[in-house]
Amino acid sequence: AAELRAKQENVADAFARIGGLDVPVLPIVGSPEVNRYRNKVQFPVQARNGKAAAGFYQAGSHTVIPITDCKIQPEAAETIRAAVLSWMEKENVPAYDERTHAGLVRHIYLRYGAKSGQTLVCIVANCEALSKMKALVREILAADANVTGIVVNYNTKKSNVILGERFETLYGEGYLEDMLLGLTFRLS
């Protein structure tokens, strides 16, 4: 409720301050979904205490704080995050280190179809060709049967831009389909 009031105040402020208008602002209509509503997740991956960890950046830093669950993200996010980290450990695949530009896995990125239940997984890798990909696909599919696509994005740039320009589909079509307002969309 407080967040909705704050959003309404932001809109009213924008009309007054930017638009120079004194108009009534209707109450913000909140979503009925307050948990598990996100459809895109990006986990940076980093070595922590000798093991790969994935989570979110600590405020104002590039230090990854590992997580096990985030209540606004789909449940598939945790399952897939854990599967990728398990693959990395089993196959000795190192996490990317942005200070030294060494290591392979930079991000775990996924899209989730709220209506279709489909999940598309993207591993962002610091290399030209990722090895041990069959084991990666097996690990992810064993963890989540709703995964409809697995792709690798190759990003070897020394920057904090998440995605590179080249993608390789490892499994499925490389996209998911979901519906909005009676229309079907392909999300890659």
Side-chain angles (χ1 to χ4, degrees), residues 41-45 53-55 77 80-85 88 105-110 121-124 140 162:
V41 179
Q42 296 169 188
F43 293 122
V45 179
I80 291 164
R81 184 196 66 78
V84 173
L85 293 177
M88 291 176 70
V105 178
R106 295 172 74 129
H107 282 82
I108 303 167
Y109 182 113
L110 66 91
V121 179
C122 177
I123 305 302
V124 182
I140 291 172
I162 294 174

Side-chain angles (χ1 to χ4, degrees), residues 45-48 50-54 85 88-89 93-95:
V45 179
Q46 198 173 76
R48 300 281 308 220
K51 293 180 73 172
L85 293 177
M88 291 176 70
E89 185 172 353
V93 175

Side-chain angles (χ1 to χ4, degrees), residues 4-36:
L4 294 176
R5 281 192 303 277
K7 287 180 179 182
Q8 183 175 343
E9 289 171 10
N10 286 345
V11 171
D13 178 62
F15 274 121
R17 189 175 39 80
I18 298 169
L21 302 171
D22 182 18
V23 296
V25 176
L26 298 174
I28 302 291
V29 177
S31 170
E33 300 297 326
V34 295
N35 292 312
R36 310 283 181 210

Side-chain angles (χ1 to χ4, degrees), residues 76 80 117-121 137 140-141 143-150 171-172:
I80 291 164
Q118 297 177 356
T119 304
L120 175 64
V121 179
V137 170
I140 291 172
L141 293 178
D144 190 331
N146 291 320
V147 170
T148 55
I150 302 171
Y171 170 82

